Coordinates of all heavy atoms in Angstrom, one line a residue:
D1 N 36.0 97.8 -194.8 CA 35.8 98.6 -193.6 C 35.8 97.6 -192.4 O 35.0 96.7 -192.4 CB 34.4 99.3 -193.7 CG 34.0 100.0 -192.4 OD1 34.5 101.1 -192.3 OD2 33.3 99.4 -191.6
R2 N 36.8 97.8 -191.5 CA 37.0 96.9 -190.4 C 35.7 96.7 -189.5 O 35.4 95.6 -189.1 CB 38.1 97.5 -189.5 CG 38.5 96.5 -188.3 CD 39.5 97.2 -187.4 NE 39.8 96.3 -186.3 CZ 39.1 96.1 -185.2 NH1 38.0 96.7 -185.1 NH2 39.5 95.2 -184.3
E3 N 35.1 97.8 -189.2 CA 33.9 97.8 -188.3 C 32.8 96.9 -188.9 O 32.1 96.2 -188.2 CB 33.4 99.2 -188.0 CG 34.4 99.9 -187.1 CD 34.8 99.2 -185.8 OE1 34.0 98.6 -185.1 OE2 36.0 99.1 -185.6
L4 N 32.6 97.0 -190.2 CA 31.6 96.2 -190.9 C 31.9 94.8 -190.9 O 31.1 93.9 -190.5 CB 31.4 96.7 -192.4 CG 30.5 95.8 -193.2 CD1 29.1 95.9 -192.7 CD2 30.6 96.3 -194.7
V5 N 33.2 94.4 -191.2 CA 33.6 93.0 -191.1 C 33.6 92.5 -189.7 O 33.1 91.3 -189.5 CB 35.1 92.9 -191.7 CG1 35.6 91.5 -191.6 CG2 35.1 93.3 -193.2
L6 N 33.9 93.3 -188.7 CA 33.8 92.9 -187.3 C 32.4 92.5 -187.0 O 32.1 91.4 -186.4 CB 34.3 94.0 -186.4 CG 34.4 93.7 -184.9 CD1 35.2 92.4 -184.6 CD2 34.9 94.9 -184.1
E7 N 31.4 93.3 -187.4 CA 30.0 93.0 -187.1 C 29.6 91.7 -187.9 O 28.9 90.9 -187.3 CB 29.1 94.2 -187.5 CG 27.7 94.0 -187.1 CD 27.5 93.8 -185.6 OE1 28.3 94.4 -184.8 OE2 26.7 93.0 -185.2
V8 N 30.0 91.6 -189.1 CA 29.7 90.4 -189.9 C 30.2 89.1 -189.2 O 29.5 88.1 -189.1 CB 30.1 90.5 -191.3 CG1 30.0 89.2 -192.1 CG2 29.4 91.6 -192.0
V9 N 31.5 89.1 -188.8 CA 32.1 87.9 -188.2 C 31.5 87.6 -186.8 O 31.5 86.5 -186.4 CB 33.6 87.9 -188.2 CG1 34.2 88.0 -189.6 CG2 34.2 88.9 -187.3
R10 N 31.0 88.6 -186.2 CA 30.3 88.4 -184.9 C 29.0 87.6 -185.1 O 28.6 86.8 -184.3 CB 30.0 89.7 -184.2 CG 31.1 90.3 -183.5 CD 30.8 91.6 -182.8 NE 31.9 92.1 -182.0 CZ 32.1 93.3 -181.8 NH1 31.3 94.3 -182.3 NH2 33.2 93.7 -181.1
Q11 N 28.4 87.8 -186.3 CA 27.2 87.1 -186.7 C 27.5 85.7 -187.3 O 26.7 84.8 -187.1 CB 26.4 87.9 -187.6 CG 25.9 89.3 -187.1 CD 25.0 89.1 -185.9 OE1 24.1 88.3 -185.9 NE2 25.3 89.9 -184.9
N12 N 28.6 85.7 -188.1 CA 29.0 84.5 -188.8 C 30.5 84.4 -189.0 O 31.0 85.1 -189.9 CB 28.3 84.4 -190.1 CG 28.6 83.2 -190.9 OD1 29.4 82.4 -190.6 ND2 27.9 83.0 -192.1
G13 N 31.1 83.7 -188.1 CA 32.6 83.7 -188.1 C 33.2 83.1 -189.4 O 34.3 83.4 -189.7
H14 N 32.4 82.3 -190.1 CA 32.9 81.7 -191.3 C 33.1 82.8 -192.4 O 33.9 82.6 -193.3 CB 31.8 80.7 -191.9 CG 31.5 79.6 -190.9 ND1 32.5 78.7 -190.6 CD2 30.4 79.3 -190.2 CE1 31.9 77.8 -189.8 NE2 30.7 78.2 -189.5
A15 N 32.6 84.0 -192.2 CA 32.8 85.1 -193.1 C 34.2 85.6 -193.1 O 34.7 86.2 -194.1 CB 31.9 86.3 -192.8
L16 N 35.0 85.2 -192.1 CA 36.4 85.5 -192.1 C 37.1 85.0 -193.4 O 38.1 85.6 -193.8 CB 37.1 84.9 -190.9 CG 38.6 85.3 -190.6 CD1 38.7 86.9 -190.4 CD2 39.1 84.6 -189.4
A17 N 36.6 84.0 -193.9 CA 37.2 83.4 -195.2 C 37.2 84.4 -196.3 O 38.1 84.3 -197.2 CB 36.5 82.1 -195.6
Y18 N 36.3 85.4 -196.3 CA 36.2 86.3 -197.4 C 36.8 87.7 -197.0 O 36.8 88.6 -197.8 CB 34.7 86.5 -197.7 CG 34.1 85.2 -198.1 CD1 33.3 84.5 -197.2 CD2 34.4 84.5 -199.3 CE1 32.8 83.2 -197.4 CE2 33.9 83.3 -199.6 CZ 33.1 82.7 -198.7 OH 32.5 81.4 -199.0
A19 N 37.4 87.8 -195.8 CA 38.0 89.1 -195.4 C 39.3 89.3 -196.1 O 40.0 88.3 -196.4 CB 38.1 89.1 -193.9
D20 N 39.7 90.5 -196.2 CA 41.0 90.9 -196.7 C 42.1 90.4 -195.8 O 41.9 90.2 -194.6 CB 41.1 92.5 -196.6 CG 42.4 93.0 -197.2 OD1 42.5 93.0 -198.4 OD2 43.2 93.4 -196.4
D21 N 43.3 90.1 -196.4 CA 44.4 89.5 -195.6 C 44.7 90.4 -194.4 O 45.1 89.8 -193.3 CB 45.6 89.4 -196.5 CG 45.5 88.3 -197.5 OD1 44.6 87.4 -197.3 OD2 46.2 88.2 -198.5
A22 N 44.7 91.7 -194.5 CA 45.0 92.5 -193.3 C 44.0 92.3 -192.2 O 44.4 92.3 -191.0 CB 45.0 94.0 -193.8
L23 N 42.8 92.1 -192.5 CA 41.8 91.8 -191.5 C 42.0 90.4 -190.9 O 41.6 90.2 -189.7 CB 40.4 92.0 -192.0 CG 40.1 93.4 -192.4 CD1 38.7 93.5 -193.1 CD2 40.1 94.4 -191.2
R24 N 42.5 89.5 -191.6 CA 42.7 88.2 -191.1 C 43.9 88.2 -190.1 O 44.1 87.2 -189.4 CB 43.0 87.2 -192.2 CG 41.9 86.9 -193.1 CD 42.2 85.9 -194.1 NE 41.2 85.8 -195.1 CZ 41.2 84.9 -196.0 NH1 42.1 83.9 -196.0 NH2 40.3 84.9 -197.0
R25 N 44.7 89.3 -190.1 CA 45.8 89.5 -189.1 C 45.3 90.2 -187.9 O 46.1 90.4 -187.0 CB 46.9 90.2 -189.8 CG 47.7 89.4 -190.8 CD 49.0 90.1 -191.3 NE 48.7 91.3 -192.0 CZ 48.5 91.5 -193.3 NH1 48.4 90.4 -194.0 NH2 48.3 92.6 -193.8
D26 N 44.1 90.7 -187.9 CA 43.6 91.5 -186.8 C 43.1 90.6 -185.7 O 42.2 89.8 -185.8 CB 42.4 92.3 -187.3 CG 41.8 93.2 -186.3 OD1 41.5 92.8 -185.2 OD2 41.5 94.4 -186.7
R27 N 43.9 90.6 -184.6 CA 43.7 89.7 -183.5 C 42.2 89.7 -182.9 O 41.6 88.7 -182.7 CB 44.7 90.0 -182.4 CG 44.8 88.9 -181.3 CD 45.9 89.2 -180.3 NE 46.3 88.1 -179.5 CZ 45.7 87.8 -178.4 NH1 44.7 88.5 -177.9 NH2 46.0 86.7 -177.7
E28 N 41.7 90.9 -182.7 CA 40.4 91.1 -182.1 C 39.3 90.5 -183.1 O 38.4 89.8 -182.6 CB 40.1 92.6 -181.9 CG 38.7 92.8 -181.3 CD 38.3 94.3 -181.3 OE1 39.0 95.1 -181.8 OE2 37.2 94.5 -180.8
L29 N 39.5 90.8 -184.3 CA 38.5 90.4 -185.3 C 38.5 88.8 -185.4 O 37.5 88.2 -185.4 CB 38.9 91.0 -186.7 CG 37.8 90.9 -187.7 CD1 37.7 92.2 -188.5 CD2 38.0 89.8 -188.6
V30 N 39.7 88.2 -185.4 CA 39.8 86.8 -185.5 C 39.2 86.1 -184.2 O 38.5 85.1 -184.3 CB 41.3 86.3 -185.7 CG1 41.4 84.8 -185.5 CG2 41.7 86.7 -187.1
L31 N 39.5 86.7 -183.1 CA 38.9 86.2 -181.9 C 37.4 86.2 -181.9 O 36.7 85.3 -181.4 CB 39.5 86.9 -180.6 CG 40.9 86.5 -180.2 CD1 41.4 87.4 -179.2 CD2 41.0 85.1 -179.8
E32 N 36.8 87.3 -182.4 CA 35.4 87.4 -182.5 C 34.8 86.3 -183.4 O 33.8 85.7 -183.2 CB 35.0 88.8 -182.9 CG 35.1 89.8 -181.9 CD 34.3 89.6 -180.6 OE1 33.1 89.1 -180.8 OE2 34.7 90.0 -179.5
A33 N 35.5 86.1 -184.5 CA 35.1 85.1 -185.5 C 35.1 83.7 -184.9 O 34.2 82.9 -185.1 CB 36.0 85.2 -186.8
V34 N 36.2 83.4 -184.2 CA 36.3 82.1 -183.5 C 35.2 81.9 -182.5 O 34.6 80.9 -182.4 CB 37.7 82.0 -182.9 CG1 37.8 80.9 -181.9 CG2 38.8 81.9 -183.9
K35 N 34.9 82.9 -181.7 CA 33.9 82.8 -180.7 C 32.5 82.6 -181.3 O 31.7 81.9 -180.7 CB 33.9 84.1 -179.8 CG 35.1 84.1 -178.9 CD 35.1 85.4 -178.1 CE 36.3 85.6 -177.3 NZ 36.4 86.9 -176.7
S36 N 32.3 83.2 -182.5 CA 30.9 83.1 -183.1 C 30.7 81.7 -183.8 O 29.6 81.4 -184.1 CB 30.7 84.2 -184.1 OG 31.3 84.0 -185.3
T37 N 31.8 80.9 -183.9 CA 31.6 79.6 -184.5 C 31.7 78.5 -183.5 O 32.0 77.4 -183.8 CB 32.7 79.4 -185.7 OG1 34.0 79.5 -185.1 CG2 32.5 80.3 -186.8
R38 N 31.5 78.8 -182.3 CA 31.5 77.9 -181.1 C 30.9 76.6 -181.5 O 29.8 76.5 -182.0 CB 30.8 78.5 -179.9 CG 30.9 77.7 -178.7 CD 30.2 78.4 -177.6 NE 30.4 77.6 -176.4 CZ 31.2 77.9 -175.4 NH1 32.0 78.9 -175.5 NH2 31.3 77.1 -174.4
H39 N 31.6 75.5 -181.2 CA 31.2 74.1 -181.4 C 30.9 73.7 -182.9 O 30.4 72.7 -183.2 CB 30.0 73.8 -180.6 CG 30.2 74.1 -179.1 ND1 31.1 73.5 -178.4 CD2 29.5 74.9 -178.3 CE1 31.1 73.9 -177.2 NE2 30.2 74.8 -177.1
L40 N 31.2 74.6 -183.8 CA 31.1 74.3 -185.2 C 32.5 74.0 -185.7 O 33.5 74.1 -185.1 CB 30.5 75.5 -186.0 CG 29.1 75.9 -185.6 CD1 28.7 77.1 -186.3 CD2 28.1 74.8 -185.8
A41 N 32.6 73.6 -187.0 CA 33.9 73.3 -187.6 C 34.8 74.6 -187.4 O 34.3 75.7 -187.4 CB 33.7 73.0 -189.1
P42 N 36.1 74.4 -187.2 CA 36.9 75.5 -186.9 C 37.3 76.3 -188.1 O 38.5 76.7 -188.2 CB 38.2 74.8 -186.3 CG 38.2 73.4 -186.9 CD 36.7 73.1 -187.1
S43 N 36.4 76.5 -189.0 CA 36.8 77.2 -190.2 C 37.2 78.7 -190.0 O 38.0 79.2 -190.8 CB 35.6 77.1 -191.2 OG 34.5 77.8 -190.7
A44 N 36.7 79.3 -189.0 CA 37.1 80.7 -188.8 C 38.6 80.7 -188.5 O 39.3 81.5 -189.1 CB 36.3 81.4 -187.7
F45 N 39.0 79.9 -187.6 CA 40.4 79.9 -187.2 C 41.3 79.4 -188.4 O 42.4 79.9 -188.6 CB 40.7 78.9 -186.0 CG 42.1 78.9 -185.5 CD1 42.7 80.0 -185.0 CD2 42.8 77.7 -185.6 CE1 44.0 80.0 -184.6 CE2 44.1 77.7 -185.2 CZ 44.7 78.8 -184.7
M46 N 40.8 78.5 -189.2 CA 41.5 78.0 -190.3 C 41.9 79.2 -191.3 O 42.9 79.1 -191.9 CB 40.6 77.0 -191.1 CG 41.2 76.5 -192.4 SD 40.2 75.2 -193.2 CE 38.7 76.2 -193.6
H47 N 41.1 80.2 -191.3 CA 41.3 81.3 -192.2 C 42.1 82.5 -191.6 O 42.3 83.5 -192.2 CB 40.0 81.8 -192.8 CG 39.3 80.8 -193.7 ND1 39.9 80.4 -194.9 CD2 38.2 80.1 -193.5 CE1 39.1 79.5 -195.4 NE2 38.1 79.3 -194.6
A48 N 42.5 82.3 -190.3 CA 43.3 83.4 -189.7 C 44.7 83.4 -190.3 O 45.2 82.5 -190.9 CB 43.4 83.1 -188.2
A49 N 45.3 84.6 -190.2 CA 46.7 84.7 -190.7 C 47.6 83.8 -189.9 O 47.4 83.5 -188.8 CB 47.1 86.2 -190.5
D50 N 48.7 83.4 -190.6 CA 49.6 82.5 -190.0 C 50.2 82.9 -188.7 O 50.3 82.2 -187.7 CB 50.8 82.2 -191.0 CG 50.3 81.3 -192.1 OD1 49.2 80.7 -192.1 OD2 51.1 81.2 -193.1
E51 N 50.4 84.2 -188.5 CA 51.0 84.7 -187.3 C 50.0 84.6 -186.1 O 50.4 84.4 -185.0 CB 51.5 86.2 -187.4 CG 50.4 87.2 -187.8 CD 50.4 87.6 -189.2 OE1 50.8 86.7 -190.1 OE2 50.1 88.7 -189.5
L52 N 48.7 84.6 -186.4 CA 47.7 84.3 -185.3 C 47.6 82.9 -185.0 O 47.2 82.5 -183.9 CB 46.4 85.0 -185.7 CG 46.4 86.5 -185.7 CD1 45.1 87.1 -186.1 CD2 46.9 87.1 -184.4
K53 N 47.9 82.0 -186.0 CA 47.9 80.6 -185.8 C 49.1 80.2 -184.9 O 49.2 79.1 -184.4 CB 48.0 79.8 -187.1 CG 46.7 80.0 -187.9 CD 46.8 79.2 -189.2 CE 45.6 79.4 -190.0 NZ 45.8 78.8 -191.4
R54 N 50.1 81.1 -184.7 CA 51.2 80.9 -183.8 C 51.0 81.6 -182.5 O 51.9 81.6 -181.6 CB 52.5 81.4 -184.5 CG 53.0 80.5 -185.6 CD 54.3 81.0 -186.1 NE 54.3 82.3 -186.8 CZ 54.0 82.5 -188.1 NH1 53.8 81.5 -188.9 NH2 54.1 83.7 -188.6
D55 N 50.0 82.4 -182.4 CA 49.7 83.2 -181.2 C 49.0 82.3 -180.2 O 47.8 81.8 -180.4 CB 48.7 84.4 -181.5 CG 48.4 85.3 -180.4 OD1 48.0 84.7 -179.3 OD2 48.5 86.5 -180.5
R56 N 49.6 82.0 -179.1 CA 49.1 81.0 -178.1 C 47.8 81.4 -177.6 O 46.9 80.5 -177.4 CB 50.1 80.9 -176.9 CG 49.8 79.7 -176.1 CD 50.9 79.5 -175.0 NE 50.8 78.2 -174.4 CZ 49.8 78.0 -173.5 NH1 48.9 78.9 -173.2 NH2 49.7 76.8 -172.9
G57 N 47.5 82.7 -177.3 CA 46.2 83.1 -176.8 C 45.1 82.9 -177.8 O 44.0 82.4 -177.4
V58 N 45.4 83.2 -179.1 CA 44.4 82.9 -180.1 C 44.1 81.4 -180.3 O 43.0 81.0 -180.3 CB 44.8 83.6 -181.4 CG1 43.8 83.2 -182.5 CG2 44.9 85.1 -181.3
V59 N 45.2 80.7 -180.3 CA 45.0 79.2 -180.4 C 44.3 78.6 -179.3 O 43.4 77.8 -179.4 CB 46.4 78.5 -180.6 CG1 46.3 77.0 -180.6 CG2 47.1 79.0 -181.9
L60 N 44.6 79.1 -178.1 CA 43.9 78.6 -176.9 C 42.4 78.9 -177.0 O 41.6 78.0 -176.7 CB 44.5 79.2 -175.6 CG 43.9 78.8 -174.3 CD1 44.0 77.3 -174.1 CD2 44.5 79.5 -173.1
E61 N 42.0 80.1 -177.4 CA 40.6 80.4 -177.5 C 39.9 79.5 -178.6 O 38.8 79.1 -178.4 CB 40.4 81.9 -177.8 CG 39.0 82.3 -177.8 CD 38.2 82.1 -176.5 OE1 38.8 82.3 -175.4 OE2 37.1 81.7 -176.6
A62 N 40.6 79.4 -179.7 CA 40.1 78.5 -180.8 C 39.9 77.1 -180.3 O 38.8 76.5 -180.6 CB 41.0 78.6 -182.0
V63 N 40.8 76.6 -179.6 CA 40.7 75.2 -179.1 C 39.6 75.1 -178.1 O 38.9 74.0 -178.0 CB 42.1 74.7 -178.6 CG1 42.0 73.4 -177.8 CG2 43.1 74.6 -179.7
K64 N 39.4 76.1 -177.2 CA 38.3 76.1 -176.3 C 37.0 76.0 -177.0 O 36.1 75.3 -176.5 CB 38.4 77.3 -175.4 CG 39.4 77.3 -174.3 CD 39.3 78.5 -173.5 CE 40.4 78.6 -172.4 NZ 40.3 79.8 -171.6
Q65 N 36.9 76.7 -178.1 CA 35.7 76.7 -178.8 C 35.4 75.4 -179.6 O 34.3 74.9 -179.7 CB 35.6 77.9 -179.8 CG 35.8 79.2 -179.2 CD 34.7 79.5 -178.2 OE1 33.5 79.2 -178.4 NE2 35.0 80.2 -177.2
N66 N 36.5 74.8 -180.1 CA 36.4 73.6 -180.9 C 37.8 72.9 -180.9 O 38.7 73.5 -181.5 CB 35.9 73.9 -182.3 CG 35.7 72.6 -183.1 OD1 36.5 71.7 -183.1 ND2 34.5 72.6 -183.8
G67 N 37.9 71.8 -180.3 CA 39.2 71.1 -180.2 C 39.9 70.8 -181.6 O 41.1 70.7 -181.7
L68 N 39.1 70.7 -182.6 CA 39.6 70.4 -183.9 C 40.5 71.6 -184.5 O 41.2 71.4 -185.4 CB 38.5 70.1 -184.9 CG 37.7 68.8 -184.6 CD1 36.5 68.7 -185.6 CD2 38.6 67.6 -184.7
A69 N 40.3 72.8 -183.9 CA 41.1 73.9 -184.3 C 42.6 73.7 -184.1 O 43.4 74.3 -184.8 CB 40.7 75.2 -183.5
L70 N 43.0 72.8 -183.2 CA 44.4 72.5 -182.9 C 45.1 72.1 -184.2 O 46.3 72.4 -184.3 CB 44.5 71.5 -181.8 CG 45.9 71.2 -181.3 CD1 46.4 72.5 -180.6 CD2 45.9 70.1 -180.3
Q71 N 44.4 71.5 -185.1 CA 45.1 71.0 -186.3 C 45.6 72.2 -187.2 O 46.5 72.0 -188.0 CB 44.2 70.1 -187.2 CG 43.0 70.8 -187.7 CD 42.1 69.9 -188.5 OE1 42.5 69.1 -189.3 NE2 40.8 70.0 -188.1
Y72 N 45.1 73.4 -187.0 CA 45.5 74.5 -187.8 C 46.6 75.4 -187.0 O 47.1 76.4 -187.6 CB 44.3 75.4 -188.1 CG 43.3 74.7 -188.9 CD1 42.1 74.3 -188.4 CD2 43.6 74.3 -190.2 CE1 41.2 73.6 -189.1 CE2 42.7 73.6 -191.0 CZ 41.5 73.2 -190.4 OH 40.6 72.5 -191.2
A73 N 46.9 75.0 -185.8 CA 47.9 75.8 -185.0 C 49.3 75.6 -185.6 O 49.6 74.5 -186.3 CB 47.9 75.3 -183.6
E74 N 50.1 76.6 -185.5 CA 51.5 76.5 -186.0 C 52.5 76.8 -185.0 O 52.2 77.1 -183.8 CB 51.6 77.5 -187.2 CG 50.7 77.2 -188.4 CD 50.9 78.1 -189.6 OE1 51.8 78.9 -189.5 OE2 50.2 77.9 -190.6
G75 N 53.8 76.7 -185.4 CA 54.9 77.1 -184.5 C 55.0 76.2 -183.3 O 55.4 76.6 -182.2
G76 N 54.7 74.9 -183.5 CA 54.9 74.0 -182.4 C 53.8 73.9 -181.3 O 53.9 73.2 -180.4
L77 N 52.8 74.7 -181.5 CA 51.7 74.8 -180.6 C 50.9 73.5 -180.5 O 50.2 73.2 -179.5 CB 50.8 76.0 -180.8 CG 51.4 77.3 -180.5 CD1 50.5 78.5 -180.9 CD2 51.8 77.4 -179.0
R78 N 50.9 72.7 -181.6 CA 50.2 71.4 -181.6 C 50.7 70.5 -180.5 O 50.1 69.6 -180.1 CB 50.2 70.8 -182.9 CG 49.3 71.4 -183.9 CD 49.3 70.7 -185.2 NE 49.6 71.6 -186.3 CZ 50.1 71.4 -187.4 NH1 50.5 70.2 -187.7 NH2 50.3 72.3 -188.2
A79 N 52.0 70.7 -180.2 CA 52.6 69.8 -179.2 C 52.5 70.4 -177.8 O 53.0 69.8 -176.8 CB 54.1 69.6 -179.5
D80 N 51.9 71.5 -177.6 CA 51.8 72.2 -176.3 C 50.8 71.4 -175.4 O 49.6 71.3 -175.8 CB 51.3 73.6 -176.5 CG 51.2 74.4 -175.2 OD1 50.6 73.9 -174.3 OD2 51.7 75.6 -175.2
R81 N 51.3 70.8 -174.4 CA 50.5 69.9 -173.5 C 49.2 70.6 -173.0 O 48.1 70.0 -173.1 CB 51.3 69.5 -172.4 CG 50.6 68.5 -171.4 CD 51.5 68.0 -170.3 NE 50.9 67.4 -169.3 CZ 50.4 66.1 -169.3 NH1 50.6 65.4 -170.4 NH2 49.8 65.6 -168.3
E82 N 49.3 71.8 -172.6 CA 48.1 72.5 -172.1 C 47.1 72.7 -173.1 O 45.9 72.5 -172.9 CB 48.5 73.9 -171.5 CG 47.3 74.6 -170.9 CD 47.7 76.0 -170.3 OE1 48.9 76.2 -170.1 OE2 46.8 76.8 -170.1
L83 N 47.5 73.1 -174.3 CA 46.5 73.3 -175.4 C 45.9 71.9 -175.8 O 44.7 71.9 -176.1 CB 47.2 73.9 -176.7 CG 47.6 75.3 -176.6 CD1 48.4 75.7 -177.8 CD2 46.4 76.2 -176.4
V84 N 46.7 70.9 -175.9 CA 46.1 69.6 -176.2 C 45.1 69.1 -175.2 O 44.1 68.6 -175.6 CB 47.3 68.6 -176.4 CG1 46.8 67.2 -176.5 CG2 48.2 68.9 -177.6
L85 N 45.4 69.4 -173.9 CA 44.4 68.9 -172.9 C 43.2 69.8 -172.8 O 42.2 69.4 -172.2 CB 45.2 68.9 -171.6 CG 46.3 67.9 -171.4 CD1 47.0 68.0 -170.1 CD2 45.7 66.5 -171.6
E86 N 43.3 71.0 -173.4 CA 42.1 71.9 -173.3 C 41.0 71.3 -174.1 O 39.9 71.3 -173.9 CB 42.5 73.3 -173.9 CG 41.5 74.3 -173.7 CD 41.3 74.7 -172.2 OE1 42.3 74.8 -171.5 OE2 40.2 74.8 -171.8

């Protein structure tokens, strides 16, 4: 159930690791998970679907929360100057 998982990741973004693959592709859900793990290890972003690891907006939010999230970015975003400087 999406709403249940959304509420869980708002409380603990690390729970994204146990979510169904379809939910790991849910942009809103992943962003909520990333925000809830602020300043912690970027494990929520690490478990996002690959297409969201290529989504500049999602990567930017993840990097704002924890710069280490950049290591999980895909599609050339690791070389994006603005993201690196964030």
Side-chain angles (χ1 to χ4, degrees):
D1 176 86
R2 182 189 183 277
E3 293 307 311
L4 175 64
V5 174
L6 183 58
E7 189 56 38
V8 170
V9 298
R10 283 181 175 150
Q11 300 298 316
N12 181 353
H14 302 292
L16 187 63
Y18 305 102
D20 182 75
D21 288 343
L23 294 174
R24 292 182 195 192
R25 289 189 297 274
D26 184 312
R27 192 174 197 274
E28 178 190 6
L29 196 141
V30 169
L31 284 171
E32 288 296 327
V34 164
K35 289 175 186 175
S36 78
T37 58
R38 183 178 183 101
H39 304 301
L40 299 174
S43 64
F45 183 63
M46 176 177 67
H47 295 293
D50 289 346
E51 59 261 29
L52 293 179
K53 292 177 184 176
R54 290 187 292 271
D55 181 312
R56 193 173 190 290
V58 174
V59 173
L60 182 59
E61 186 60 41
V63 169
K64 282 181 180 179
Q65 300 301 323
N66 186 315
L68 295 175
L70 190 60
Q71 68 185 311
Y72 300 108
E74 294 188 2
L77 290 174
R78 282 185 235 152
D80 184 310
R81 180 176 169 81
E82 183 181 341
L83 289 174
V84 170
L85 294 176
E86 193 62 44

